[in-house]
C-alpha cells in the first residue's frame, strides 16, 4: 500500500507541486516564527545577563517604611566594610539614572526611553571592571564624561569633543574623556549610557556620598553562598543582598517577558496562512480524486477494499506533507535569519532550532494535508465502482437546498447577528463577542461562497463581454461551471482580504481620529515634552519668561484627590493663557471662571459623577488638606485624550494642595507663529536641554500615528503570505482545470480560437476568481472594521468610521495582479495544447 501511494505521488508530481508548495509556505511561516521567537528569547536573555558572572553578590538599597520611604544607607563606609569581608576582592558602589545625550544639532540622540547615566568606579588599578575602554579613559573630573561606543558613533563624537548631556537636574556641556564598551548589566539594548565621575553622578542621581547598590566581586575559590551569608550579617537597615546568578535570572525573566508577544503574533498569522493553505490542498485533492475516479473504481473492482483505497490516498497526502515539511523547515530557518536582519534593533544571536519546533512543524505539515484531503476522499469513496467506471466525471455542484448550504447560511446569519450585537451594545465584552461572531460568520461563508459565485461573477459579465465578447463569455461560463471549486478557491483569497480590509478601516479611522484630535485641541505652536517620560516640574517652563512674544502654560498634573467623593486628577494651567493654547469646546459655563479660582470639568467626568455648573464640591487631597471648589464650566473631551484634561484647574489652586505637581507638557505659542527661528528660540530658552523635546503640531500628529502605521505595515507584511498562498490556489485550480479541459481546449482551437485567445480566456478566468474573492473579502472586512470601530466610539469621543478608498482599492488591485500572475503558467499550458492529441482523447 505504501509503495502504491509512493508510486502515485511520483506519477502525479506535477499536479501535487502547488499543494506541496503551499504546505511548504505554511510550514516555513510557522518554523520561522518559532525559530525567531526562540532565537530572540535566547539573544535577549544573553544580552540581559551579560556581565553578571563577574558579580558575586549585589547589595541594593531598599525603601525603608520606618524612615519615610528613604532608601537604606549605602555609602562609602558601607562599601569599605563590605570590601574587608573574607572572600571579597573588590566592592564597587554604583548609582544610575536618566541622562540624555544631545546630537550636534542639540536634539536628543534616540527616543530617550533607555538613556541611562551612571558612575565610573575605578578599582585600585584605576580601571572599572564593568567597562572596557576602546578610546581615552574614564571621567575623573566634574566636567568630563565617557560614552558607550554606539552612542558616540551615532552622534559622531570623538575623545576631546564637547558633548551636551541633560539629566533631571538640568543640562550642561562636558568634555568627552573616553569611549567604552560594556555588558547588559549597564546598557540596555538600543539605549545609551553616559558615565560621570563618582561625585557628579551621586549629585545627579541620588545624594552626595550615597549609592544605589554595591557590586562585590569574589576572590578565586570563594563559595558564593557562604559569602552571601557573611554579607547579610553586616548589612545596614533598609538594604538587601542577592547573588549575581540570582540577579541575572531576575533580569532574564524581565527581559523576555515581552518577546513572547511577538512570537504569538507571528504564530497567529502563520495559523491564518495554514488555514488558507487548507483550501488549496482540499481543492487539489478534490480535482485529483475526480480525475482518478475510474482508476480508483478499477482498484475497487479487482478486489481492493474501500478502506485500502482510502489509506492509499491518505498516505499520498501524508507523503506530500512530509516532503513539503522538510523543505519548509529548511526555508523557515532562513526566514528566521531574515527576520533578525529586518528587526535590527533586536539583539543578535545564533539561530535556535529546538526539537519542539521540528516536531510541531513536521506534525502540522504532515497532518494538515491529511485533514484537508479527508473530505474529497470521503466523497470519492461514496461513489459505487460500477457508476464510477461508467462515468466520465462526477461533480457535486452546490445546491441552494443542500444541508451544507443551509448550515453555512445559518452560521453566517448567527455570526453576523453576533457581530452586530457586539457593535451596538459596546459593552466590556463587545470585542470578544465580535471576534467570535466574525469567526462563525467566516466559517459559514466558506460553505456559502459557492452559492454566491454565480451571481457575483454574473455582475462582472457585462464588463468582460464588452472588453472581450467571446473570451469574456467563455471565461464566465468556465468559472461558474463548478461553483464548489470556484468558491473554495475564492474563499482563500476572501479570508486574506477580510483581514487586510478590516485592518485598513481600523487603521485609517484611528489615524484620522488622532490627527483631528491633535489639530482640533491644540492651538499652541509647540508642545514641550520630556524625553523618555522623565518627570518635569512647573519650574521647567520658567525660562520661557525670557522669550519675547511667547505665550505659554505648563500642564501641571496632580493626583490623589477626592472631589465630591470621586477619585480625581487635577491639571493646573495658567488661566490667562490656556485659552490661547488649548481649544476647549465649552458646552456650559465659561472658561473665564478659571481666573476666579473655579474649575472646568470634562463632560464625561461630569456625567459620571452627576455634576453641573455652579455646583460647589468638597475637595480633599491624600487625607491632608481639605477645602471646596466650584464648577465654572463643562467642556467636551475625549476620555482617552492625552491633551485635554479631565479636570482643568487654575495653577494657583493646584499649588495650594500640591507643592510638587508633575508637569506632563508645556504648551507654547510664539509671537510670529511656528518657524525654524521660533523653534530654535524655544529650544535655546529652555537651555538646549536634550532631556526636553520641542514638537510642532506636525511632529505631534506623526508621533501619535506612527505606532499605528508601523503595526499595520507589519500586519500587512505577515498577511502577504496568505495572499501568496491564495494566489497559488488560483494557479493550481486553473492548472488542474486545464488538464480536465484538454479535449475542450483542443476543440476550441480546432474551431478557430488561436493561442492568444486561449491565453486571454484563462487570464480572464483568473481575474474573475480574484475579483470574486476580493469583492467578498473587502465587503466582509469593511463590515468587521465597522463593528470593531463601534466598540471604540463609546470611549473615544470623535472616533468616526473612515473608509480608506485608496488603500482598499490598492489591496483589490494587488489581489487582481496576483491572480493575473497566477494565471501565467496555466494559460501557457492551455495555449500549447496539441489539437489532434486533445481532440482524440477519450
Amino acid at each position: 500500500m505504501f509503495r502504491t501511494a509512493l508510486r502515485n505521488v511520483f506519477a502525479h508530481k506535477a499536479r501535487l507541486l502547488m499543494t506541496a508548495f503551499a504546505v511548504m509556505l505554511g510550514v516555513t511561516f510557522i518554523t520561522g516564527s518559532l525559530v525567531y521567537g526562540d532565537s530572540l528569547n535566547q539573544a535577549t536573555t544573553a544580552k540581559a545577563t551579560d556581565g553578571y558572572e563577574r558579580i558575586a553578590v549585589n547589595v541594593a538599597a531598599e525603601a525603608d517604611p520606618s524612615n519615610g520611604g528613604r532608601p537604606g544607607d549605602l555609602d562609602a563606609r558601607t562599601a569599605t566594610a563590605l570590601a574587608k569581608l573574607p572572600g571579597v576582592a573588590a566592592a564597587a558602589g554604583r548609582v544610575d539614572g536618566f541622562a540624555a545625550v544631545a546630537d550636534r544639532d542639540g536634539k536628543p540622540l534616540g527616543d530617550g526611553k533607555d538613556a541611562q547615566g551612571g558612575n565610573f568606579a575605578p578599582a585600585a588599578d584605576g580601571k572599572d571592571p564593568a567597562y572596557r575602554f576602546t578610546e581615552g579613559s574614564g571621567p575623573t573630573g566634574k566636567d568630563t564624561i565617557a560614552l558607550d561606543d554606539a552612542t558616540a558613533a551615532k552622534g559622531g563624537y570623538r575623545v576631546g569633543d564637547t558633548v551636551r548631556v541633560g539629566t533631571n537636574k538640568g543640562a550642561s556641556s562636558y568634555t568627552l574623556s573616553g569611549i567604552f564598551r560594556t555588558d547588559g548589566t549597564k546598557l540596555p539594548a538600543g539605549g545609551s549610557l553616559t558615565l560621570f565621575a563618582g561625585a557628579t553622578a551621586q549629585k545627579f542621581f541620588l545624594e552626595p556620598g550615597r549609592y544605589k547598590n554595591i557590586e562585590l566581586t569574589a576572590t578565586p575559590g570563594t563559595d558564593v553562598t557562604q559569602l552571601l551569608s557573611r554579607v547579610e550579617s553586616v548589612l545596614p537597615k533598609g538594604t538587601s543582598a542577592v547573588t549575581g546568578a540570582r540577579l541575572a535570572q531576575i533580569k532574564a525573566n524581565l527581559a523576555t517577558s515581552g518577546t513572547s508577544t511577538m512570537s504569538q503574533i507571528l504564530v497567529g498569522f502563520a495559523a491564518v496562512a495554514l488555514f488558507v493553505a487548507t483550501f488549496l490542498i482540499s481543492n487539489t485533492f478534490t480535482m485529483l480524486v475526480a480525475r482518478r475516479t475510474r482508476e480508483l473504481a478499477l482498484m475497487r473492482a479487482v478486489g481492493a477494499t474501500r478502506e485500502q483505497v482510502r489509506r492509499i490516498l491518505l498516505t499520498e497526502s501524508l507523503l506530500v506533507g512530509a516532503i513539503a515539511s522538510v523543505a519548509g523547515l529548511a526555508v523557515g530557518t532562513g526566514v528566521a535569519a531574515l527576520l533578525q536582519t529586518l528587526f535590527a534593533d533586536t539583539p543578535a544571536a545564533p539561530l535556535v532550532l529546538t526539537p519542539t519546533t521540528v516536531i510541531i512543524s513536521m506534525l502540522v505539515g504532515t497532518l494538515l494535508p491529511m485533514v484537508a484531503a479527508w473530505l474529497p476522499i470521503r466523497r470519492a469513496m461514496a461513489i459505487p465502482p460500477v457508476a464510477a467506471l461508467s462515468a466520465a466525471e462526477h461533480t457535486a455542484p452546490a445546491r441552494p437546498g443542500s444541508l451544507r448550504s443551509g448550515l453555512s447560511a445559518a452560521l453566517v446569519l448567527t455570526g453576523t447577528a453576533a457581530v452586530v450585537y457586539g457593535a451596538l451594545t459596546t459593552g466590556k465584552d463587545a470585542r470578544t463577542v465580535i471576534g467570535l461572531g466574525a469567526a462563525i460568520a467566516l466559517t459559514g461563508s466558506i460553505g456559502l461562497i459557492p452559492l454566491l459565485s454565480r451571481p457575483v461573477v454574473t455582475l462582472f459579465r457585462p464588463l468582460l463581454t464588452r472588453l472581450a465578447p467571446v473570451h469574456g463569455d467563455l471565461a464566465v461560463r468556465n468559472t461558474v461551471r463548478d461553483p464548489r471549486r470556484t468558491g473554495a478557491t475564492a474563499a482563500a483569497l476572501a479570508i486574506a482580504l477580510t483581514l487586510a480590509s478590516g485592518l485598513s478601516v481600523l487603521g485609517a479611522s484611528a489615524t484620522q481620529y488622532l490627527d483631528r484630535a491633535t489639530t482640533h485641541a491644540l492651538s499652541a505652536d509647540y508642545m514641550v515634552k520630556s524625553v523618555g517620560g522623565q518627570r518635569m516640574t512647573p519650574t521647567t517652563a520658567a525660562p520661557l519668561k525670557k522669550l519675547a512674544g511667547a505665550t505659554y502654560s505648563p500642564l501641571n498634573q496632580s493626583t490623589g484627590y477626592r472631589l465630591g467623593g470621586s477619585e480625581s486628577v487635577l491639571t493646573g494651567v495658567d488661566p490667562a493663557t490656556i485659552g490661547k493654547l488649548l481649544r476647549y469646546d465649552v458646552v456650559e459655563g465659561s472658561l473665564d471662571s478659571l481666573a476666579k479660582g473655579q474649575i472646568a470639568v470634562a463632560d464625561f467626568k461630569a456625567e459620571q459623577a452627576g455634576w453641573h455648573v455652579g455646583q460647589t464640591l468638597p475637595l480633599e487631597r491624600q487625607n491632608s488638606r481639605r477645602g471646596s471648589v466650584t464648577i465654572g464650566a463643562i467642556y467636551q473631551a475625549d476620555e482617552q485624550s492625552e491633551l485635554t484634561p479631565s479636570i482643568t484647574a487654575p495653577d494657583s489652586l493646584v499649588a495650594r494642595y500640591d507643592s510638587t505637581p508633575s508637569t506632563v507638557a508645556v504648551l507654547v505659542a510664539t509671537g510670529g507663529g511656528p518657524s525654524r527661528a521660533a523653534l530654535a528660540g524655544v529650544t535655546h530658552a529652555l537651555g538646549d536641554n536634550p532631556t526636553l523635546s520641542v514638537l510642532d503640531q506636525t511632529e505631534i500628529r506623526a508621533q501619535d500615528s506612527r505606532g499605528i502605521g508601523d503595526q499595520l505595515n507589519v500586519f500587512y507584511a505577515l498577511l502577504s503570505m496568505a495572499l501568496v498562498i491564495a494566489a497559488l490556489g488560483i494557479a493550481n485550480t486553473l492548472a488542474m482545470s486545464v488538464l480536465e479541459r484538454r479535449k475542450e481546449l483542443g476543440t476550441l482551437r480546432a474551431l478557430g480560437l488561436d493561442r492568444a485567445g486561449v491565453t486571454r480566456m484563462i487570464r480572464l478566468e483568473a481575474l474573475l476568481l480574484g475579483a470574486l474573492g476580493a469583492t467578498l473579502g473587502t465587503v466582509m472586512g469593511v463590515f468587521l472594521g465597522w463593528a470593531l470601530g463601534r466598540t471604540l466610539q463609546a470611549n473615544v469621543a470623535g472616533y468616526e468610521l473612515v473608509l480608506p478608498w485608496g488603500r482598499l482599492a490598492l489591496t483589490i488591485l494587488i489581489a487582481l495582479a496576483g491572480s493575473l500572475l497566477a494565471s501565467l503558467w496555466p494559460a501557457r499550458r492551455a495555449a500549447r495544447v496539441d489539437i489532434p492529441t486533445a481532440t482524440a482523447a477519450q
Side-chain angles (χ1 to χ4, degrees):
M1 188 168 59
F2 178 80
R3 289 196 300 270
T4 303
L6 185 62
R7 184 175 62 250
N8 288 337
V9 168
F10 283 105
H12 302 97
K13 56 182 178 294
R15 302 178 188 179
L16 291 169
L17 180 62
M18 290 294 184
T19 296
F21 194 54
V23 175
M24 187 198 77
L25 285 177
V27 174
T28 294
F29 207 153
I30 199 165
T31 300
S33 303
L34 294 174
V35 171
Y36 175 73
D38 292 337
S39 303
L40 181 60
N41 272 336
Q42 178 171 294
T44 304
T45 300
K47 176 66 178 176
T49 59
D50 180 28
Y52 281 96
E53 68 279 355
R54 63 177 172 77
I55 302 174
V57 176
N58 184 75
V59 179
E62 297 180 337
D64 185 0
S66 64
N67 194 19
R70 185 176 183 272
D73 195 11
L74 283 181
D75 53 20
R77 289 180 301 175
T78 307
T80 302
L82 292 172
K84 293 178 179 178
L85 290 175
V88 175
R94 304 288 184 189
V95 291
D96 59 74
F98 172 74
V101 181
D103 61 16
R104 294 189 181 274
D105 294 326
K107 297 181 179 180
L109 283 172
D111 60 8
K113 181 178 62 175
D114 291 318
Q116 300 290 319
N119 65 306
F120 179 66
D125 59 358
K127 296 180 180 179
D128 189 331
Y131 309 105
R132 302 177 298 279
F133 278 83
T134 57
E135 295 181 45
S137 58
T140 55
K142 64 178 182 179
D143 297 325
T144 58
I145 61 163
L147 291 176
D148 68 276
D149 53 353
T151 303
K154 191 182 299 183
Y157 290 122
R158 306 280 299 181
V159 172
D161 287 350
T162 298
V163 182
R164 194 158 181 84
V165 180
T167 67
N168 290 331
K169 299 292 180 65
S172 298
S173 297
Y174 302 86
T175 300
L176 184 62
S177 67
I179 297 174
F180 60 87
R181 293 178 181 172
T182 187
D183 49 47
T185 63
K186 305 301 177 190
L187 181 62
S192 64
L193 178 58
T194 305
L195 288 184
F196 299 88
T200 306
Q202 288 174 328
K203 180 182 69 174
F204 286 157
F205 305 133
L206 197 57
E207 295 177 9
R210 293 170 57 80
Y211 300 113
K212 282 188 177 179
N213 63 291
I214 299 175
E215 297 172 352
L216 304 180
T217 54
T219 57
T222 300
D223 185 282
V224 175
T225 305
Q226 294 179 2
L227 178 59
L228 177 63
S229 299
R230 289 195 290 269
V231 169
E232 289 177 333
S233 65
V234 300
L235 284 183
K237 190 174 183 180
T239 60
S240 64
V242 66
T243 63
R246 174 58 181 160
L247 192 59
Q249 183 180 357
I250 295 172
K251 295 292 185 181
N253 293 337
L254 291 174
T256 57
S257 59
T259 58
S260 59
T261 302
M262 174 61 77
S263 300
Q264 291 168 2
I265 292 174
L266 291 173
V267 172
F269 279 94
V272 173
L274 288 169
F275 184 61
V276 172
T278 303
F279 292 95
L280 191 159
I281 299 165
S282 180
N283 237 9
T284 300
F285 274 92
T286 298
M287 292 182 283
L288 275 178
V289 171
R291 292 278 301 170
R292 296 166 58 190
T293 301
R294 289 189 175 186
E295 173 193 333
L296 300 176
L298 183 61
M299 293 176 64
R300 295 277 306 281
V302 297
T305 66
R306 180 180 296 179
E307 186 62 29
Q308 286 176 323
V309 175
R310 180 183 291 111
R311 288 178 182 175
I312 290 173
L313 293 174
L314 288 175
T315 303
E316 290 179 23
S317 65
L318 177 67
L319 288 170
V320 171
I323 295 171
S325 298
V326 172
L329 267 172
V331 179
T333 305
V335 168
L338 179 61
L339 287 174
Q340 281 190 332
T341 303
L342 293 176
F343 297 106
D345 57 336
T346 58
L351 294 177
V352 179
L353 182 61
T354 64
T356 302
T357 298
V358 174
I359 292 172
I360 290 175
S361 299
M362 291 299 297
L363 280 177
V364 169
T366 53
L367 293 179
L368 180 65
M370 294 180 66
V371 173
W374 180 80
L375 187 59
I377 293 171
R378 181 175 175 273
R379 287 201 203 105
M381 293 301 97
I383 302 175
V386 175
L389 285 169
S390 62
E393 186 178 353
H394 292 273
T395 60
R399 299 187 304 275
S402 68
L403 177 62
R404 170 178 171 170
S405 299
L407 180 60
S408 298
L411 288 175
V412 169
L413 290 174
T414 303
T416 303
V419 171
V420 172
Y421 173 78
L424 296 180
T425 56
T426 63
K428 65 177 182 178
D429 297 325
R431 289 178 195 146
T432 303
V433 173
I434 291 173
L436 291 174
I440 294 172
L442 282 174
T443 303
S445 66
I446 294 168
L448 208 58
I449 286 178
L451 293 178
L452 298 174
S453 60
R454 187 179 296 274
V456 174
V457 168
T458 303
L459 292 176
F460 297 105
R461 184 169 190 163
L463 176 63
L464 290 181
T465 53
R466 180 176 298 233
L467 295 175
V470 176
H471 312 99
D473 186 65
L474 288 172
V476 170
R477 292 173 182 271
N478 290 331
T479 303
V480 299
R481 177 183 297 181
D482 189 342
R484 182 166 290 169
R485 179 190 302 174
T486 299
T489 305
L493 186 61
I495 290 172
L497 266 293
T498 297
L499 296 175
S501 301
L503 287 172
S504 295
V505 171
L506 280 176
S509 301
T511 300
Q512 177 172 294
Y513 158 73
L514 291 172
D515 185 75
R516 185 188 303 163
T518 301
T519 305
H520 177 76
L522 191 63
S523 303
D525 298 328
Y526 301 103
M527 174 188 288
V528 180
K529 298 192 74 174
S530 165
V531 172
Q534 300 302 309
R535 190 174 186 273
M536 294 192 298
T537 65
T539 58
T540 304
L544 292 173
K545 293 178 181 179
K546 304 174 184 177
L547 189 61
T551 302
Y552 69 94
S553 174
L555 302 181
N556 300 321
Q557 192 175 84
S558 183
T559 60
Y561 291 89
R562 288 194 66 81
L563 179 60
S566 174
E567 298 288 341
S568 302
V569 176
L570 269 61
T571 301
V573 300
D574 183 351
T577 61
I578 191 61
K580 303 174 185 177
L581 304 169
L582 204 59
R583 186 175 289 110
Y584 285 84
D585 294 325
V586 178
V587 295
E588 190 177 353
S590 171
L591 201 64
D592 294 337
S593 59
L594 292 174
K596 303 175 184 177
Q598 298 178 354
I599 62 172
V601 181
D603 52 356
F604 67 86
K605 182 71 174 178
E607 183 179 352
Q608 291 170 1
W611 297 337
H612 58 82
V613 170
Q615 184 176 0
T616 299
L617 302 172
L619 180 63
E620 176 185 359
R621 182 172 189 269
Q622 296 178 345
N623 299 320
S624 57
R625 191 180 181 100
R626 292 179 173 83
S628 62
V629 67
T630 301
I631 299 176
I634 294 177
Y635 53 87
Q636 290 182 344
D638 176 13
E639 192 170 355
Q640 307 299 322
S641 175
E642 295 184 2
L643 276 176
T644 310
S646 60
I647 299 178
T648 305
D651 47 15
S652 58
L653 175 66
V654 170
R656 192 185 313 157
Y657 288 83
D658 186 0
S659 59
T660 58
S662 177
T663 300
V664 295
V666 180
L667 305 181
V668 186
T670 55
S675 65
R676 292 177 64 93
L679 176 61
V682 174
T683 303
H684 184 67
L686 292 170
D688 294 317
N689 192 338
T691 67
L692 300 177
S693 182
V694 183
L695 307 173
D696 60 21
Q697 291 196 13
T698 302
E699 290 173 321
I700 295 170
R701 290 196 297 270
Q703 194 176 70
D704 289 341
S705 59
R706 185 182 299 125
I708 295 176
D710 292 344
Q711 290 179 7
L712 284 178
N713 290 335
V714 171
F715 291 156
Y716 288 143
L718 295 174
L719 281 174
S720 63
M721 184 67 74
L723 286 171
V724 170
I725 294 177
L728 287 177
I730 294 174
N732 201 39
T733 297
L734 292 174
M736 298 297 288
S737 177
V738 167
L739 287 174
E740 292 178 353
R741 294 155 50 194
R742 286 176 60 84
K743 185 172 183 179
E744 174 189 324
L745 292 171
T747 303
L748 289 173
R749 290 290 312 282
L751 292 174
L753 190 65
D754 58 9
R755 288 187 174 184
V758 173
T759 300
R760 184 179 303 173
M761 179 184 68
I762 298 298
R763 289 177 179 174
L764 289 175
E765 290 180 32
L767 284 175
L768 279 172
L769 286 171
L772 174 61
T775 300
L776 297 176
T778 301
V779 171
M780 290 188 291
V782 170
F783 173 64
L784 188 59
W786 164 81
L788 289 172
R790 284 278 306 178
T791 64
L792 297 175
Q793 287 179 331
N795 298 321
V796 182
Y799 178 93
E800 295 179 358
L801 177 69
V802 175
L803 294 180
W805 297 109
R807 191 177 287 269
L808 291 175
L810 178 62
T811 305
I812 293 173
L813 286 176
I814 291 174
L816 294 178
S819 303
L820 194 60
L821 287 173
S823 70
L824 295 180
W825 180 56
R828 188 166 178 264
R829 293 194 64 182
R832 292 189 173 189
V833 167
D834 182 68
I835 297 176
T837 304
T839 53
Q842 298 296 321

